[in-house]
Amino acid sequence: MAIDGLSESLVGKKVSVKTNNGESFEGVIYAFDQKQNCLALFEPGSQTNKSRQTFKMLNTSYVTSVTPVADSTETYLNEQFRKGDLPKINTEKIQERARAAREKREYSMGADVTIEAQDVFDAIERTLKCSWDGSTIVILDVVELKAPYKPEDLKAKEDGSTNKRAANTLEQIKKILKDREHRLKTEK
């Protein structure tokens, strides 16, 4: 599907792009390939954070409109971009983010636990801080969930933590487990 006004002549122009799911982006068209249904949108960093430049790759099948933002005769890409050079990338920052993500994931991985146990852990961890103690999932240091990881396997830790906090956490985890079970049934 062709989008009115979208052509290679817009490369280098500042535009506003809207998608069929209601998202909108503003930036400079870096590249456009009609055959591949691909639009590369360069989003320059803000005035306060110029180093936060990003590129968005958009499938034009999902783009509903492309509107030039400024004078369509003005080109925003500098000489460096016209030669095909991309902006410098802070590889140290990328490596640090990757290391932090890897460490977080390793911390979240249970040793010698089943795929289902890890899935339960991941479902709970999306909402509440939890960790592994052997094959037991410890949630907020007040609740334990032991195999086979069903709502009836939940219990408050007996370490003097407040009963109200443990009761609220138990109810929240039961809801998470029921939602997960319902999701698994509907996926089958």
Side-chain angles (χ1 to χ4, degrees):
M1 175 182 119
I3 295 124
D4 289 337
L6 182 58
S7 69
E8 289 183 12
S9 66
L10 284 178
V11 172
K13 307 289 194 262
K14 191 171 186 179
V15 296
S16 174
V17 178
K18 293 192 176 160
T19 64
N20 61 0
N21 65 357
E23 291 181 300
S24 60
F25 307 102
E26 193 170 296
V28 177
I29 295 182
Y30 184 77
F32 170 63
D33 187 336
Q34 193 166 5
K35 290 179 185 170
Q36 297 295 323
N37 290 333
C38 184
L39 173 70
L41 189 68
F42 171 68
E43 296 179 310
S46 67
Q47 294 289 25
T48 57
N49 189 2
K50 291 189 184 273
S51 65
R52 191 74 173 162
Q53 301 173 347
T54 59
F55 282 89
K56 290 216 184 309
M57 301 301 290
L58 302 171
N59 183 333
T60 57
S61 302
Y62 301 106
V63 172
T64 56
S65 71
V66 176
T67 310
V69 172
D71 180 10
S72 61
T73 61
E74 188 176 351
T75 301
Y76 285 84
L77 296 180
N78 63 25
E79 196 60 40
Q80 174 188 16
F81 285 141
R82 286 192 213 109
K83 288 189 239 168
D85 296 336
L86 294 174
K88 290 184 180 178
I89 297 174
N90 186 341
T91 55
E92 290 174 8
K93 198 175 209 177
I94 292 171
Q95 289 171 346
E96 176 59 29
R97 284 184 189 163
R99 185 192 59 71
R102 187 174 49 254
E103 284 177 3
K104 182 180 182 218
R105 188 63 191 155
E106 286 172 359
Y107 175 78
S108 299
M109 297 291 289
D112 299 324
V113 296
T114 64
I115 293 171
E116 181 183 4
Q118 187 64 51
D119 187 50
V120 168
F121 180 93
D122 293 343
I124 296 169
E125 188 183 39
R126 282 196 262 303
T127 308
L128 302 168
K129 184 178 182 220
C130 51
S131 60
W132 287 101
D133 182 12
S135 63
T136 301
I137 300 172
V138 180
I139 302 102
L140 296 175
D141 292 325
V142 295
V143 174
E144 293 180 339
L145 178 59
K146 296 183 184 250
Y149 311 103
K150 304 290 182 205
E152 55 271 12
D153 301 312
L154 281 165
K155 73 171 192 147
K157 281 179 77 173
E158 297 175 15
D159 63 356
S161 58
T162 63
N163 289 339
K164 186 173 181 176
R165 182 174 182 216
N168 289 342
T169 304
L170 283 167
E171 289 306 310
Q172 192 171 4
I173 297 166
K174 285 179 184 176
K175 183 179 182 327
I176 292 169
L177 294 174
K178 286 179 184 174
D179 288 348
R180 177 186 170 275
E181 197 171 301
H182 177 71
R183 188 187 79 236
L184 291 174
K185 284 180 183 175
T186 58
E187 287 178 357
K188 288 182 180 178

